[in-house]
């Protein structure tokens, strides 16, 4: 495990690092998750291994610090991640990022372009999301006020409805971190993440579950050079549900270009 201070108060982002050649690959988890739990199996697959790989936990999640004073906007997550990557000596990295982590990765590439050379986005959030009481994920979490969630009632209700698998990592997140991250994910960025993605000029791939049907706005993404790839036999957690298809698609996305 390695770490870097990413706030003026010294709060630290931590990651598990696998040795290998440059350029580095950086894996970024989604809301309430942790990168080592979600990415280790695919990161060590022979088709993706051999690169220096950082399995990073965003601030407030997993093994990273959980400061209650941090605002946990997508922009702040991206800037904190940029600080960790800079401290680690990373530049022009290939980012493989899931769900909320994909949103953070888009913002990172827009705000700190020297740090990112390619993006593989895994069912990432590209648009604001309606806040819906009783639903799972960011929509349901953000439907509570922060006070309701942090005091325990909202937190306990989310615990009871997300299921044992997601809760196994969600329980590691700070309560303020989880609520604020969810709230700002539903709010999105200005410009919104989709627009930022369209404006990027680096190679970009978007993976989504085939069962979800066509990705909204896929034609515009394709016209802008984003490769949209539907993965069969999976839900939102593509790398866990169908690691073989995930590795194939990701290896193809990261293959050297002529």
């Amino acid at each position: 495990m390695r770490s870097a201070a990413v706030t003026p108060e010294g709060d630290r982002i931590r990651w598990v690092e696998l040795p290998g050649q440059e350029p580095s690959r950086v894996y970024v988890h989604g809301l309430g998750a942790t990168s080592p739990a979600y990415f280790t199996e695919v990161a060590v697959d022979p088709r993706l291994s051999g690169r220096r790989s950082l399995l990073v936990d965003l601030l407030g999640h997993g093994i990273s610090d959980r400061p209650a004073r941090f605002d946990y906007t997508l922009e702040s997550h991206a800037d904190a991640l940029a600080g960790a990557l800079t401290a680690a000596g990373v530049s022009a990295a290939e980012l493989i990022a899931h769900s909320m982590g994909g949103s953070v990765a888009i913002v990172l590439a827009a705000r700190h372009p020297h740090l990112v050379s390619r993006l593989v986005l895994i069912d990432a959030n590209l648009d604001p999301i309606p806040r819906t009481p009783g639903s799972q994920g960011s929509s349901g979490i953000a439907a509570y006020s922060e006070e309701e969630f942090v005091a325990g009632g909202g937190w306990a209700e989310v615990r009871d409805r997300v299921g044992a698998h997601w809760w196994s990592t969600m329980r590691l997140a700070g309560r303020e971190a989880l609520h604020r991250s969810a709230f700002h994910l539903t709010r999105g960025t200005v410009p919104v993440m989709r627009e930022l993605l369209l404006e990027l000029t680096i190679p970009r791939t978007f993976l989504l579950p085939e069962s979800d049907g066509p990705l909204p706005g896929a034609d515009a993404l394709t016209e802008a050079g984003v490769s949209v790839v539907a993965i069969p036999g999976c839900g939102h957690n593509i790398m866990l549900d169908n690691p073989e298809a995930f590795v194939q698609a990701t290896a193809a996305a990261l293959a050297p270009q002529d």
Side-chain angles (χ1 to χ4, degrees), residues 40-188:
T40 297
E41 178 181 1
V42 295
V44 300
D45 186 283
R47 290 163 290 183
L48 292 179
S49 63
R51 291 287 185 86
R52 182 189 181 198
S53 297
L54 288 72
L55 283 64
V56 179
D57 280 353
L58 295 171
L59 209 60
H61 290 71
I63 57 176
S64 291
D65 286 346
R66 302 182 290 276
R69 60 192 169 276
F70 194 72
D71 63 16
Y72 296 100
T73 65
L74 294 174
E75 295 89 345
S76 293
H77 271 306
D79 290 346
L81 179 56
L85 297 182
T86 299
V90 170
S91 63
E94 300 171 341
L95 264 72
I96 301 100
H98 179 231
S99 196
M100 183 189 79
S103 304
V104 172
I106 293 168
V107 178
L108 176 72
R111 290 168 72 90
H112 305 276
H114 66 288
L115 293 177
V116 185
S117 62
R118 295 194 192 195
L119 285 176
V120 177
L121 305 172
I122 309 155
D123 210 17
N125 304 78
L126 299 181
D127 305 296
I129 307 165
R131 296 166 195 147
T132 307
S135 65
Q136 291 194 12
S138 58
S139 177
I141 294 171
Y144 297 98
S145 70
E146 182 173 322
E147 183 179 7
E148 288 173 326
F149 186 80
V150 172
W155 181 85
E157 289 175 4
V158 169
R159 175 199 63 199
D160 292 342
R161 67 173 177 255
V162 298
H165 175 81
W166 197 0
W167 188 250
S168 68
T169 59
M170 189 180 285
R171 65 185 178 182
L172 304 176
R175 294 188 188 187
E176 293 89 355
L178 191 58
H179 184 270
R180 292 176 198 168
S181 294
F183 179 86
H184 290 295
L185 181 61
T186 62
R187 187 197 67 172

